[in-house]
Every structure is written in structure tokens, then in C-alpha cells.
Amino acid sequence: MRLINRLNRIIQNASDIKDMLEKGYENKEILTQIAAVRTALNNLGKIILKEHMEECVLEGMSLNHDDSQETEDLLNDLMDAIHKFTK
């Protein structure tokens, strides 16, 4: 629920940017709000990525260490998530 609350605030802030554009606010003020939304999105992404990493680590700890294919698949999944977030 906390992630949904964060996302709802981000959506509201993005809507506020739209209103600022429609009302003719100065570009500097709009850019400040855009930077705030970008930071909020990045922070949300970091939380989600951290949770995904924790899930991968826990899953990796439960794997049979003889199954290198499952371990490789898990690492590939983790690296794919990191790549998508940092793109």
C-alpha cells in the first residue's frame, strides 16, 4: 500500500505540472517540479528494485547449490531488472 501511496503522490505532482503549463507558469518553476517528479520516480524504482533483489537473494539461498542453471537464471533475472531500471 505504501508504494501505491507514493505513486498516487507522483501522479498528482505530474498532474500539477500539467496545470502549471496550462496556467503559464515560468519554465524555471515547471522544471523544478519535473525534477521533483523524476526524483520521486527514481526513489520509487529504488524501493521496488531493492525488494526484487531481496527476493532473488532469498530464492538463491533456498536453491540447491548443485543446480547452476537455476542460479544462472536467477542472476540473469536480477541483472535484467537492474539494467531496465538504470537504462
Side-chain angles (χ1 to χ4, degrees):
M1 189 64 172
R2 65 185 170 81
L3 295 179
I4 298 298
N5 289 338
R6 279 180 176 255
L7 184 57
N8 283 335
R9 284 194 304 271
I10 292 167
I11 291 168
Q12 182 57 53
N13 289 342
S15 179
D16 292 345
I17 292 169
K18 179 180 179 261
D19 291 342
M20 291 172 77
L21 287 166
E22 291 172 345
K23 293 176 181 175
Y25 278 67
E26 289 186 25
N27 290 334
K28 182 179 175 183
E29 294 177 51
I30 295 168
L31 290 170
T32 299
Q33 291 304 310
I34 290 171
V37 168
R38 186 173 47 231
T39 298
L41 277 172
N42 281 335
N43 289 337
L44 177 63
K46 287 176 188 176
I47 292 168
I48 293 170
L49 180 59
K50 178 182 178 281
E51 288 178 2
H52 183 65
M53 291 173 70
E54 289 169 350
E55 290 169 6
C56 287
V57 167
L58 290 175
E59 185 176 335
M61 290 171 56
S62 70
L63 288 177
N64 179 345
H65 294 293
D66 294 335
D67 193 345
S68 61
Q69 184 59 50
E70 278 189 68
T71 301
E72 185 177 335
D73 291 346
L74 189 59
L75 288 172
N76 286 336
D77 178 52
L78 180 56
M79 291 306 298
D80 186 50
I82 292 169
H83 176 73
K84 286 178 181 176
F85 179 64
T86 59
K87 205 170 172 184

